[in-house]
Amino acid sequence: MSLAGEAANKRVSWNRSLSTRGRTSIAVGTCVVYQPQGKQARRKGKPALPKGKFVQPPTFEKERAYFQEVDDFELLEESPSPKNFSTWAMGTQTNNIAIPHLSSRLEKWLISRKLNHTCGPSSTLSKILETPAMPLEPICGNDLNPSNLRTPEKSSMKTNSQLLAVHSRLCSILVDKDALERDHNSQYRNLVSGSEGQGCCEDLEVAVKKLSLASTSVCFDSDQLDPFAALLAVCGQPSPSKLKDVFSKYCELGNIVKIGEGTYGEAFKASNYVCKIVPIDGDLRVNGEVQKRSEELIEEVILSRTLNCLRECDGDVCNSCTTFIETIDLKVCQGSYDSALIKAWEDWDENNGSENDHPKEFPEKQCYVVFVLEHGGKDLESFILLNFDEARSLLVQVTAALAVAEAAYEFEHRDLHWGNILLRRNDSETLQFILEGKHMSARTFGLSISIIDFTLSRINTGEEILFLDLSSDPDLFNGPKGDRQSETYRKMKEVTDDCWDGSFPRTNVLWLLYLVDILLLKKSFERNSKNERDLRALKKRLDKYQSAKEAIFDPFFSELLIMACE
């Protein structure tokens, strides 16, 4: 019987599946003593009626009178009927449960959890929503600490418990909307300072700076709290800066050169750095698209800083690599483009023919986020590969970076086309990285790779899962048939089943397959028939892998990888 009880507790869904199919659970079946059944006796028929006698049929008058008496009795309060009439749930049942007004992310999480149990949401979110509200502790510290972004095994238990307390308090305030409206100022003071007894109330920007970066996107995308103020806090600013002030920190304004553009922003070279300008929160459409919102940029900012942590290689670091582009600084700016930026934009337009709208159309109050990044070189589309060794170097560096990020943060890039891989040549012959505690090196043949643009990426920071819900952008999957990039988006949708918050490292493998196709079909470099066969064989094997962590140990990379001596 103890075996039956233990099995019933641990394998509820398994027992349910057996029961709904009309079978007997093994846990119950083991307690039954099976014996051979004897032949059942034949049922005797009814005795014959005596001849010449009439039998009166039953009238059930007594029974009828009894039930009539019961029907006439009036209950003071009728008990509600149960909604579910069976012990076992048959299939997927959805009850019409009203969801309170929460932030959009929490609301989506609740809906996906009720309707789709296969997509594992953040364990931290589970704790937040299922843990009763706790009193908010005072939040200490002034500076943003990159260690806050690390996974749970790299964070202290005390820090995690404080973050859960803050999350729980914030979420309870968001749910209790009526209470918030009745006493908004009091709730605001309690939220920011954590104590009513303090002499003064800290600013919202300072309070957000003291939180883990990963908590901001959950707590600050409601109508009650200003996402723009939260974005300022994450970037460490009391107020927006001017574009010229940010650029003047890195070079003379007259030396600014535009080097690239995208749908949502422009890229300018400032000395040895690249400044990417992304307009936000405006009503003016940019290149035909609606501008990004502050809450969207908060996640991209957090994600960029989280990947920066992979560059650390001191101490007992389990995962480390330098292939993801380094984010030097992040600033929120406001105002029109400076004349030096306008000139740099027009010079690019004259030489290359810009597809973007002229930045002079931005109003005086337009806001931007400026990403100051290291200069990673040219993108793969325009970079000229010399030989097969450089092609191999590209593949091994990208695969190693994805494998390390998978191991550290369940990272998926989800948009690794040839415009998001930068290449430049240097004097280094090897690239060091750490994968799950193993120190390794990869032969680079003098080629340095940088991965950029994490707009569509998914990451688990250890505090929260950040992702972009691509189901809200159906046009992304309607690209031309046969186009390798468009086909990769559609394959991603099949792999994820349109559930984008879940962890699906197979998407990284899909982009590795895309890169092999690009090398075979789009790039020209010195190679022979054996090199072609090796690439095609790699593609076949890649199709069987479920993650970059598996792909990095493919035989194709065996000559390029060097294991460090223990």
Side-chain angles (χ1 to χ4, degrees):
M1 293 304 295
S2 61
L3 176 60
E6 184 178 355
N9 290 333
K10 291 186 178 180
R11 301 295 295 273
V12 175
S13 60
W14 175 65
N15 287 339
R16 173 162 60 244
S17 65
L18 291 178
S19 175
T20 55
R21 286 167 173 78
R23 302 177 183 177
T24 303
S25 170
I26 293 175
V28 176
T30 54
C31 303
V32 178
V33 178
Y34 292 99
Q35 296 179 353
Q37 297 181 357
K39 186 176 181 179
Q40 295 181 356
R42 185 175 181 180
R43 185 175 179 181
K44 296 181 179 180
K46 294 182 180 180
L49 294 175
K51 293 183 178 181
K53 291 187 178 181
F54 175 75
V55 179
Q56 186 72 22
T59 60
F60 303 107
E61 289 296 335
K62 292 183 180 181
E63 290 81 359
R64 184 179 293 107
Y66 170 78
F67 285 110
Q68 183 65 38
E69 182 181 357
V70 172
D71 292 340
D72 292 340
F73 183 75
E74 294 183 0
L75 294 176
L76 295 178
E77 182 178 357
E78 186 176 356
S79 301
S81 300
K83 293 182 179 180
N84 299 322
F85 296 95
S86 60
T87 302
W88 302 107
M90 302 291 290
T92 302
Q93 296 183 353
T94 57
N95 296 330
N96 295 324
I97 302 174
I99 300 177
H101 173 72
L102 294 175
S103 65
S104 60
R105 176 175 292 283
L106 292 178
E107 186 172 358
K108 288 181 180 179
W109 180 86
L110 284 172
I111 294 173
S112 74
R113 185 175 182 194
K114 288 200 309 174
L115 300 181
N116 194 336
H117 301 285
T118 60
C119 302
S122 168
S123 58
T124 306
L125 281 175
S126 301
K127 295 177 183 177
I128 293 169
L129 296 178
E130 295 173 1
T131 305
M134 294 177 284
L136 183 63
E137 300 177 7
I139 308 170
C140 303
N142 293 323
D143 297 325
L144 294 170
N145 190 345
S147 63
N148 290 337
L149 290 171
R150 297 179 182 175
T151 50
E153 58 268 22
K154 298 181 183 178
S155 303
S156 66
M157 294 300 294
K158 182 177 179 181
T159 303
N160 285 340
S161 62
Q162 289 176 346
L163 288 172
L164 285 177
V166 173
H167 273 296
S168 180
R169 177 61 173 159
L170 288 170
C171 294
S172 65
I173 291 175
L174 291 176
V175 173
D176 192 4
K177 184 178 180 181
D178 295 334
L180 186 64
E181 291 175 351
R182 288 194 302 268
D183 195 5
H184 180 273
N185 293 331
S186 175
Q187 293 280 12
Y188 179 87
R189 287 193 298 270
N190 292 339
L191 173 63
V192 176
S193 65
S195 171
E196 293 182 356
Q198 294 184 354
C200 61
C201 179
E202 297 173 80
D203 292 335
L204 176 61
E205 294 85 351
V206 179
V208 179
K209 287 169 65 176
K210 297 173 183 177
L211 292 173
S212 162
L213 289 178
S215 66
T216 55
S217 63
V218 170
C219 301
F220 291 95
D221 60 350
S222 72
D223 295 335
Q224 312 302 329
L225 301 174
D226 183 11
F228 184 74
L231 181 59
L232 279 171
V234 171
C235 294
Q237 299 174 246
S239 60
S241 303
K242 295 290 185 181
L243 286 171
K244 65 177 182 179
D245 294 335
V246 173
F247 277 83
S248 61
K249 289 174 58 177
Y250 302 101
C251 73
E252 295 290 335
L253 294 181
N255 295 332
I256 298 174
V257 178
K258 177 177 173 177
I259 59 173
E261 62 182 22
T263 303
Y264 291 101
E266 311 274 355
F268 296 87
K269 183 177 180 292
S271 185
N272 295 325
Y273 304 101
V274 173
C275 298
K276 184 175 74 170
I277 304 177
V278 181
I280 61 169
D281 291 341
D283 297 328
L284 177 69
R285 283 185 172 266
V286 178
N287 308 316
E289 300 290 338
V290 176
Q291 294 185 29
K292 290 188 176 184
R293 299 299 168 186
S294 294
E295 49 266 38
E296 296 179 71
L297 266 297
I298 288 176
E299 293 199 353
E300 191 168 347
V301 166
I302 294 169
L303 201 151
S304 298
R305 288 191 167 177
T306 303
L307 291 175
N308 260 11
C309 295
L310 287 178
R311 308 182 77 85
E312 300 175 6
C313 58
D314 299 331
D316 298 329
V317 176
C318 293
N319 297 285
S320 173
C321 75
T322 57
T323 305
F324 294 98
I325 197 76
E326 182 180 7
T327 302
I328 307 299
D329 199 5
L330 293 154
K331 291 296 180 184
V332 178
C333 297
Q334 187 175 31
S336 56
Y337 264 47
D338 186 77
S339 58
L341 290 172
I342 292 290
K343 181 180 184 303
W345 191 95
E346 290 176 344
D347 289 344
W348 164 273
D349 183 35
E350 183 178 351
N351 297 326
N352 301 279
S354 177
E355 298 180 6
N356 286 2
D357 298 334
H358 199 294
K360 68 180 181 181
E361 298 179 7
F362 287 125
E364 185 65 33
K365 294 183 178 181
Q366 177 66 51
C367 293
Y368 318 85
V369 173
V370 179
F371 294 79
V372 183
L373 311 169
E374 69 169 326
H375 197 322
K378 292 184 178 181
D379 60 51
L380 177 58
E381 183 177 5
S382 57
F383 189 86
I384 300 176
L385 294 171
L386 299 180
N387 50 48
F388 181 65
D389 283 339
E390 288 192 346
R392 289 196 299 166
S393 174
L394 164 67
L395 290 173
V396 72
Q397 291 187 60
V398 171
T399 305
L402 293 177
V404 170
E406 280 179 5
Y409 302 118
E410 298 178 355
F411 174 81
E412 301 166 44
H413 192 284
R414 296 182 173 178
D415 196 23
L416 198 55
H417 56 76
W418 62 351
N420 286 337
I421 299 175
L422 303 182
L423 304 92
R424 58 187 172 89
R425 293 185 175 90
N426 57 23
D427 297 330
S428 176
E429 289 296 322
T430 59
L431 171 73
Q432 282 73 38
F433 63 96
I434 305 173
L435 175 60
E436 295 182 328
K438 298 178 181 178
H439 290 253
M440 308 173 70
S441 298
R443 297 176 64 188
T444 63
F445 301 99
L447 197 65
S448 177
I449 306 296
S450 295
I451 296 175
I452 64 171
D453 196 349
F454 314 117
T455 305
L456 306 189
S457 299
R458 186 258 188 204
I459 197 170
N460 184 349
T461 67
E463 312 290 347
E464 186 200 355
I465 294 175
L466 306 178
F467 69 101
L468 187 65
D469 187 4
L470 301 183
S471 63
S472 61
D473 186 13
D475 291 338
L476 183 67
F477 309 101
N478 294 333
K481 292 184 179 181
D483 178 75
R484 291 298 189 272
Q485 184 174 338
S486 299
E487 294 294 343
T488 304
Y489 293 136
R490 285 190 280 269
K491 290 177 182 177
M492 280 203 307
K493 186 176 181 179
E494 294 176 4
V495 168
T496 63
D497 198 21
D498 224 14
C499 180
W500 298 97
D501 61 338
S503 176
F504 302 97
R506 168 71 179 171
T507 62
N508 287 331
V509 179
L510 295 179
W511 286 105
L512 292 176
L513 288 165
Y514 161 87
L515 287 179
V516 175
D517 277 336
I518 289 295
L519 292 176
L520 286 169
L521 304 174
K522 298 288 186 179
K523 302 300 293 184
S524 298
F525 52 88
E526 184 180 337
R527 59 194 180 193
N528 54 38
S529 58
K530 182 182 181 302
N531 301 151
E532 293 264 355
R533 290 195 301 270
D534 288 344
L535 285 174
R536 297 186 188 280
L538 170 63
K539 182 180 175 182
K540 289 182 179 179
R541 292 192 300 271
L542 281 176
D543 203 30
K544 299 178 182 179
Y545 298 137
Q546 296 301 313
S547 67
K549 287 195 297 182
E550 296 180 24
I552 190 61
F553 296 106
D554 185 88
F556 183 85
F557 302 124
S558 59
E559 296 181 1
L560 304 176
L561 294 178
I562 304 170
M563 299 290 292
C565 297
E566 295 286 337

